[in-house]
């Protein structure tokens, strides 16, 4: 005697293959979206912030090397908590990067904006 299988999403009876878990593709998709929604939203929000930071740096750094005030970055919505990498020079200076766009804090209220040049 076999137990009747029920859909993991809606609870309806499942017919077909013995290893089937969902009654339809819609239930399978809904189940997985619900299961992954918290992680997906977190990653999506972080990626959106990183892209926004990159756009701001790109907009302000038209020459490849520009000095800009902290307040100007903040006014445009720049979030200093999110970046994709850090480069430390031999002298100990810390460059923070959002993809290829970077910044170096030169003093309390000023930043030098740079573009990473890949070595070939």
């Amino acid at each position: 005697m076999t137990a009747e299988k029920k859909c993991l999403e809606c609870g309806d009876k499942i017919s077909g293959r013995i290893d089937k878990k969902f009654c339809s593709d819609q239930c399978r998709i809904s189940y997985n979206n619900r299961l992954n929604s918290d992680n997906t939203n977190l990653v999506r929000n972080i990626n959106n912030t990183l892209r926004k930071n990159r756009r701001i740096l790109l907009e302000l750094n038209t020459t490849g090397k520009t000095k800009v005030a902290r307040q100007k970055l903040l006014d445009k919505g720049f979030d200093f908590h999110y970046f994709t990498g850090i480069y430390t020079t031999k002298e100990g200076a810390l460059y923070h990067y959002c993809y290829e766009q970077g910044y170096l804090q030169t003093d309390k209220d000023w930043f030098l904006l740079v573009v990473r040049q890949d070595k070939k």
Side-chain angles (χ1 to χ4, degrees):
M1 185 167 213
T2 60
E4 186 177 281
K5 291 193 72 169
K6 294 189 181 222
C7 176
L8 293 177
E9 179 64 14
C10 70
D12 284 353
K13 180 182 173 185
I14 299 175
S15 60
R17 289 189 346 248
I18 196 166
D19 62 341
K20 199 170 178 183
K21 297 178 182 178
F22 304 99
C23 64
S24 67
D25 283 339
Q26 181 60 42
C27 277
R28 178 181 52 81
I29 291 167
S30 294
Y31 178 86
N32 286 312
N33 283 345
R34 187 170 38 81
L35 190 66
N36 296 320
S37 66
D38 289 340
N39 290 336
T40 302
N41 287 337
L42 174 66
V43 171
R44 184 182 311 115
N45 291 338
I46 291 171
N47 284 337
N48 286 339
T49 302
L50 287 169
R51 282 193 297 269
K52 181 178 181 181
N53 280 354
R54 182 184 176 273
R55 278 193 305 272
I56 292 167
L57 293 173
L58 194 59
E59 175 188 330
L60 294 174
N61 189 11
T62 57
T63 63
K65 199 177 231 184
T66 306
K67 193 171 183 183
V68 66
R70 171 188 290 275
Q71 194 57 50
K72 190 165 192 174
L73 290 165
L74 292 173
D75 289 346
K76 292 194 172 282
F78 193 85
D79 189 336
F80 287 97
H81 295 105
Y82 293 96
F83 46 88
T84 58
I86 298 175
Y87 174 74
T88 307
T89 65
K90 291 178 184 175
E91 296 80 28
L94 290 175
Y95 285 84
H96 290 78
Y97 283 93
C98 290
Y99 304 102
E100 84 289 1
Q101 299 294 319
Y103 57 94
L104 169 69
Q105 188 167 4
T106 56
D107 63 39
K108 182 181 172 196
D109 294 320
W110 289 93
F111 288 85
L112 177 65
L113 307 184
V114 297
V115 178
R116 181 177 12 223
Q117 302 297 320
D118 290 329
K119 297 178 182 176
K120 294 182 182 184

